[in-house]
Amino acid sequence: DTAVSQTPKYLVTQMGNDKSIKCEQNLGHDTMYWYKQDSKKFLKIMFSYNNKELIINETVPNRFSPKSPDKAHLNLHINSLELGDSAVYFCASSRPGTGSYEQYFGPGTRLTVT
Amino acid sequence: QKEVEQDPGPLSVPEGAIVSLNCTYSNSAFQYFMWYRQYSRKGPELLMYTYSSGNKEDGRFTAQVDKSSKYISLFIRDSQPSDSATYLCAQRPSGNTGKLIFGQGTTLQVKP
């Protein structure tokens, strides 16, 4: 029983392409997140949705567009990929409010832009 | 200056050693203090959390928070090779958005 799943696990693409990453959680959580982890393992939040509503939108290029079709799914679409977008992207989920310190992470999507 | 700072290591210790991992933060508004563990090629998982100064113990792990000096530690007793991972310190500011601020993580290797 996978709690938070992401597809694909690996993504290799060329500069300028558009790609999407999908995330699903079966924990019944209301809140979902996208994080980016760079090559130095620095993990930084990008977006958060609570019940399909965007609640965190960090300083991220507008080439990145999240979408939450329902509270169990959160997708990330990236336009015009750049070399600097190469990283591991993690999806996470949590209960809202005081429970949000405990976030459940997916296995990550390793994106390589060539 | 990053809001949460950790020495990235790597830290290499022999099996059975006591490990001390440290983290400093700059924002007094942080309320929750967490340690996440991340194995290679996996997502982080919550190891321990606390919301007050003092110590919290869970098996071989002890988290220590000193809010006056904005200093957080994680101690691992009787370290095992299975403890080899990256340990991420995280804080959550006030409010309920769920935003977590992570440190860079310290990579620990426990040698048998």
Side-chain angles (χ1 to χ4, degrees):
Chain A
D1 283 354
T2 305
V4 182
S5 59
Q6 294 180 230
T7 52
K9 208 167 181 181
Y10 298 94
L11 192 50
V12 181
T13 188
Q14 291 184 325
M15 283 175 55
N17 284 349
D18 303 339
K19 290 292 177 188
S20 291
I21 307 171
K22 295 187 176 184
C23 177
E24 178 181 1
Q25 55 96 2
N26 62 7
L27 296 166
H29 289 161
D30 290 332
T31 308
M32 296 184 73
Y33 312 82
W34 278 115
Y35 285 87
K36 178 181 180 181
Q37 188 169 47
D38 63 23
S39 57
K40 294 184 178 178
K41 298 205 173 171
F42 190 50
L43 187 64
K44 189 169 182 196
I45 191 165
M46 300 172 69
F47 302 103
S48 173
Y49 272 77
N50 183 45
N51 265 326
K52 303 194 292 175
E53 181 186 350
L54 182 66
I55 56 170
I56 295 176
N57 186 353
E58 291 293 292
T59 309
V60 175
N62 57 16
R63 299 181 295 103
F64 290 79
S65 52
K67 269 197 184 143
S68 181
D70 56 60
K71 71 176 191 178
H73 295 84
L74 181 61
N75 304 324
L76 183 65
H77 187 76
I78 316 170
N79 288 325
S80 304
L81 278 154
E82 300 178 357
L83 292 176
D85 298 332
S86 295
V88 182
Y89 291 84
F90 286 101
C91 175
S93 73
S94 72
R95 292 180 289 116
T98 55
S100 61
Y101 61 82
E102 183 170 15
Q103 298 184 8
Y104 292 78
F105 285 78
T109 295
R110 190 169 293 268
L111 172 65
T112 303
V113 183
T114 61
Chain B
Q1 182 192 7
K2 288 192 168 62
E3 288 187 274
V4 179
E5 302 233 32
Q6 291 180 259
D7 183 339
L11 177 63
S12 183
V13 301
E15 183 175 354
I18 296 175
V19 177
S20 172
L21 303 169
N22 305 305
C23 173
T24 59
Y25 65 96
S26 58
N27 190 337
S28 301
F30 289 144
Q31 286 193 333
Y32 283 84
F33 305 90
M34 292 137 281
W35 285 97
Y36 276 77
R37 178 175 62 194
Q38 184 177 20
Y39 290 113
S40 182
R41 305 251 167 184
K42 301 284 186 186
E45 56 180 353
L46 181 66
L47 188 60
M48 295 186 72
Y49 78 94
T50 183
Y51 52 83
S52 60
S53 282
N55 293 354
K56 183 176 182 179
E57 195 172 313
D58 184 1
R60 296 185 295 110
F61 299 88
T62 299
Q64 190 175 78
V65 175
D66 182 348
K67 285 188 178 180
S68 61
S69 58
K70 300 190 182 73
Y71 196 85
I72 301 163
S73 299
L74 178 70
F75 299 98
I76 307 174
R77 290 182 298 281
D78 187 25
S79 56
Q80 302 295 309
S82 58
D83 295 328
S84 298
T86 297
Y87 290 81
L88 301 161
C89 169
Q91 277 87 50
R92 200 198 87 169
S94 57
N96 289 332
T97 62
K99 178 176 177 177
L100 297 185
I101 312 286
F102 284 87
Q104 188 178 352
T106 300
T107 298
L108 170 67
Q109 185 180 26
V110 181
K111 294 185 174 177

